Amino acid sequence: MVFTNSGWGFEPSCGCFQEGGTVRAQSTFVRPIWKGSINFGWVYIPIAVYPATREEKLSFRPLRRTDLSPIKYKTVAEADMKEVPSDQIVKGFEYERGRYVVLSDEDFERVRIESTDSIDITDFVDLEQVDPKFFYKPYFLEPGKGGEKAYALFHKALSGTGKIGIAKVVINNREYLAAVKPDGLFLILELMHFASEVLSPEELNRPTTALNEEELKMAQALIDGMSADWEPKKYRHQYRDAVMEMIEQKAKNKKLPSAPGVMLSPPPGSTFSSSSATFNWSAGSATGYFLLVGSSPNGADIYFGQVHVRSATVNNIPTDGRTIYVTLGSHVGGSWTYKSYTYTALNSPATPTPAPTSTATPAPTLTPTPTATPTPTPTATPTPTPAPTATPTPTPPRTGSGGMLSPPPGSAFDSSSVTFNWSAGGATAYFLLVGNSPNLADIYFGQVNVRSATVKNIPTDGRTIYVALGSQVNGSWSYNNYTYTAFHH
């Protein structure tokens, strides 16, 4: 059996690439890590223990640059940095700084705990009474041959009680506290911390700030607005995925593409099924992304978010059947590129139909008169035929992007907190990037409809700070770039 991660993975047991260069991850279900039985009272149930989770930890070996020869580590003594042969190495416990007690193999043998190949349940307790901090690593329990009926009976009986079995188990000569829990169709053995391993927060500073009732209501409203059903597959290890994708391409001697992210779901052109949608997109070779969702091309009146992951959930999409415009921005090779998509909003029956009066033909009495004309131009003179519209000639729209006003571009900051202010131009929305290199947002990214933003975590080591101001003008985005000097603390 093989676990795959978006079609690829890594084989840790051999540290190699398999299946013609495709990187794969070996299943944790190939063999059990331990076999034994569950015992309580007169009950004996043979079981096999399989990992219920896995740690997706990337491991890299140091290599010599010239020939990629792996680097080996030598055991050297701190006193003189001389290499020590294995038969001269003993085990010591540092009971005071620089002072050790040496333990021999015989000492360890004297206190070694014998494995009994059994999970000995001593108590059944209510699950809700156990602090979640005590649990840390779950395993599946598979019934052994001849134990299927007892296993099923115990599972069903325990499932209806709300209780868990507290047990002791010895695995690889190490004693563990553990819990036996019902989970779906299987039993789970979850290793637990002993009481001495669970730390108390008594020495920490407890927050004593008085809480404002209105602020609390706002915080609760935010939590309610972002509440959703638990969907574990929605949360991906984005950094690991990106690194593994890069490793796979390098393993195949492929040149990394310079490509933006591409929308995967919902399928472009489809119709939303509710007022909430989770957008997922491919990585491309981008280092950052942002998502615009609006009622017009390049609009952000519904949602704007900048993320370093490849997923975003939008909760306030209209449900009147309108066209929804989505723009995905990708930061590739130091600049931003964009892809645009359209969707159809859910047409909810509860949405009221627009009133007929919205399409009514202008009445003759709406013909402009001299007094209604802002300036006495020839076009404002009444004519026998009604004018095409009932409004004066529109004023040309403002043009140009916003421009930074303060701090003055090129100046030095006087602290780690800076408030940026900019002019309006002809923009309807703005965003601000603050970073350690051009077009990077590792210090700050924010989208606003106002012309001000405060950034509070700017470094204070005198480095160059790069600021990009984006403005949405006539349906498209334009940018102005600025540099500043960080305060040198």
Side-chain angles (χ1 to χ4, degrees):
M1 183 187 298
V2 174
F3 280 127
T4 59
N5 193 345
S6 298
W8 48 264
F10 184 67
E11 169 48 64
S13 62
C14 67
C16 59
F17 304 104
Q18 298 181 347
E19 296 292 320
T22 299
V23 187
R24 298 169 67 84
Q26 182 67 37
S27 168
T28 54
F29 293 135
V30 170
R31 57 182 178 270
I33 66 164
W34 185 81
K35 287 186 177 182
S37 63
I38 299 175
N39 300 335
F40 60 96
W42 50 265
V43 176
Y44 169 85
I45 307 173
I47 49 88
V49 178
Y50 292 86
T53 63
R54 58 174 175 166
E55 184 180 10
E56 294 185 333
K57 184 177 181 180
L58 298 176
S59 178
F60 298 91
R61 290 201 64 179
L63 310 172
R64 184 164 57 190
R65 182 186 298 273
T66 55
D67 59 0
L68 302 185
S69 174
I71 304 298
K72 292 185 176 181
Y73 292 97
K74 294 183 177 181
T75 53
V76 297
E78 289 184 357
D80 53 15
M81 299 306 293
K82 292 183 178 180
E83 187 173 358
V84 181
S86 59
D87 61 355
Q88 295 297 312
I89 298 176
V90 296
K91 296 179 181 178
F93 179 82
E94 189 175 18
Y95 65 95
E96 290 181 2
R97 187 173 182 83
R99 304 188 69 181
Y100 301 87
V101 170
V102 175
L103 298 177
S104 65
D105 291 341
E106 291 75 14
D107 293 328
F108 285 106
E109 185 65 27
R110 190 177 302 121
V111 296
R112 186 170 68 90
I113 299 173
E114 294 291 341
S115 176
T116 60
D117 294 333
S118 65
I119 301 170
D120 295 313
I121 297 176
T122 59
D123 302 285
F124 290 95
V125 303
D126 290 333
L127 175 60
E128 62 182 19
Q129 292 181 348
V130 183
D131 190 324
K133 292 194 294 294
F134 278 87
F135 302 109
Y136 77 92
K137 193 168 186 179
Y139 291 88
F140 290 116
L141 299 180
E142 178 188 56
K145 185 176 181 180
E148 294 88 347
K149 184 173 183 179
Y151 183 102
L153 181 63
F154 178 42
H155 177 276
K156 187 170 184 179
L158 191 59
S159 297
T161 64
K163 297 181 182 293
I164 59 175
I166 302 299
K168 288 285 192 69
V169 61
V170 178
I171 301 176
N172 296 329
N173 295 322
R174 180 179 174 183
E175 183 182 33
Y176 293 94
L177 181 68
V180 177
K181 303 177 177 180
D183 180 78
L185 298 177
F186 285 88
L187 292 171
I188 288 284
L189 175 73
E190 186 155 10
L191 301 185
M192 301 175 66
H193 295 287
F194 287 99
S196 60
E197 297 174 320
V198 179
L199 303 180
S200 170
E202 293 177 358
E203 296 182 4
L204 301 180
N205 292 326
R206 182 179 179 181
T208 57
T209 305
L211 300 179
N212 181 286
E213 189 65 29
E214 291 301 318
E215 293 175 338
L216 181 59
K217 290 181 179 179
M218 291 175 60
Q220 291 171 338
L222 178 61
I223 293 172
D224 291 340
M226 297 180 64
S227 296
D229 293 332
W230 167 240
E231 298 178 21
K233 292 184 179 179
K234 184 173 72 174
Y235 308 98
R236 297 177 61 92
H237 197 321
Q238 303 292 345
Y239 172 77
R240 181 186 184 280
D241 288 354
V243 172
M244 291 304 300
E245 187 171 349
M246 179 172 59
I247 289 173
E248 182 188 51
Q249 293 179 21
K250 282 181 173 289
K252 294 179 178 179
N253 295 319
K254 288 186 176 180
K255 183 179 179 181
L256 294 178
S258 178
V262 177
M263 191 65 66
L264 299 177
S265 64
S270 61
T271 300
F272 296 134
S273 59
S274 70
S275 62
S276 178
T278 297
F279 295 89
N280 297 277
W281 52 90
S282 61
S285 56
T287 56
Y289 315 88
F290 69 76
L291 189 72
L292 309 179
V293 181
S295 299
S296 60
N298 297 307
D301 55 310
I302 297 175
Y303 177 84
F304 186 108
Q306 187 265 356
V307 291
H308 292 290
V309 295
R310 302 199 301 271
S311 178
T313 299
V314 181
N315 293 318
N316 60 332
I317 300 174
T319 56
D320 55 4
R322 72 178 71 178
T323 298
I324 302 297
Y325 298 85
V326 175
T327 301
L328 175 64
S330 303
H331 191 244
V332 181
S335 60
W336 289 93
T337 59
Y338 315 93
K339 285 186 175 292
S340 298
Y341 306 90
T342 58
Y343 295 87
T344 302
L346 171 70
N347 193 4
S348 173
T351 304
T353 304
T357 54
S358 61
T359 57
T361 304
T365 55
L366 294 180
T367 302
T369 62
T371 58
T373 305
T375 55
T377 59
T379 57
T381 305
T383 61
T385 302
T389 63
T391 56
T393 302
T395 302
R398 293 179 298 172
T399 59
S401 59
M404 191 63 67
L405 299 176
S406 64
S411 63
F413 299 141
D414 57 7
S415 72
S416 63
S417 179
V418 176
T419 298
F420 295 89
N421 297 278
W422 54 88
S423 61
T428 56
Y430 314 88
F431 68 77
L432 189 72
L433 307 178
V434 182
N436 289 299
S437 60
N439 295 310
L440 191 64
D442 56 327
I443 297 176
Y444 177 84
F445 187 108
Q447 187 267 353
V448 292
N449 293 320
V450 295
R451 301 197 303 275
S452 178
T454 299
V455 182
K456 297 183 178 180
N457 60 331
I458 299 176
T460 56
D461 55 4
R463 72 182 68 180
T464 298
I465 302 297
Y466 297 85
V467 175
L469 175 65
S471 304
Q472 188 184 33
V473 182
N474 297 329
S476 62
W477 288 91
S478 60
Y479 314 91
N480 286 319
N481 295 300
Y482 306 92
T483 59
Y484 295 88
T485 301
F487 174 62
H488 193 188
H489 182 66

